[in-house]
Amino acid sequence: MNRYEIIIYWSDEDESFVAEVPELPGCAADGSTYYEALSNIEVIITEWIETAKESGRPIPQPKGRLIYA
């Protein structure tokens, strides 16, 4: 189970739910339902981490909930 913050929102432009992981640049997925987007992003997080390991890129440690001013 990952511990990265996941932000899920409805996109009128894409006509789907979009899930993003702010701590992992470019890590995003979509789905026709909230739960589909959540399921898809879990797969993408794993793939993002595997790709970073293979290419020697640093993998950010999960910070948990982000705080905005």
Side-chain angles (χ1 to χ4, degrees), residues 16-32:
S16 63
F17 285 91
V18 176
E20 297 180 347
V21 181
E23 296 170 272
L24 304 177
C27 188
D30 64 358
S32 58

Side-chain angles (χ1 to χ4, degrees), residues 16-63:
S16 63
F17 285 91
V18 176
E20 297 180 347
V21 181
E23 296 170 272
L24 304 177
C27 188
D30 64 358
S32 58
T33 67
Y34 179 96
Y35 294 104
E36 183 179 353
L38 182 59
S39 177
N40 291 343
I41 196 66
E42 292 288 347
V43 172
I44 299 301
I45 290 170
T46 301
E47 291 175 356
W48 192 102
I49 291 170
E50 288 173 1
T51 300
K53 285 180 183 176
E54 290 171 2
S55 62
R57 292 190 327 235
I59 301 168
Q61 290 298 312
K63 295 177 185 170

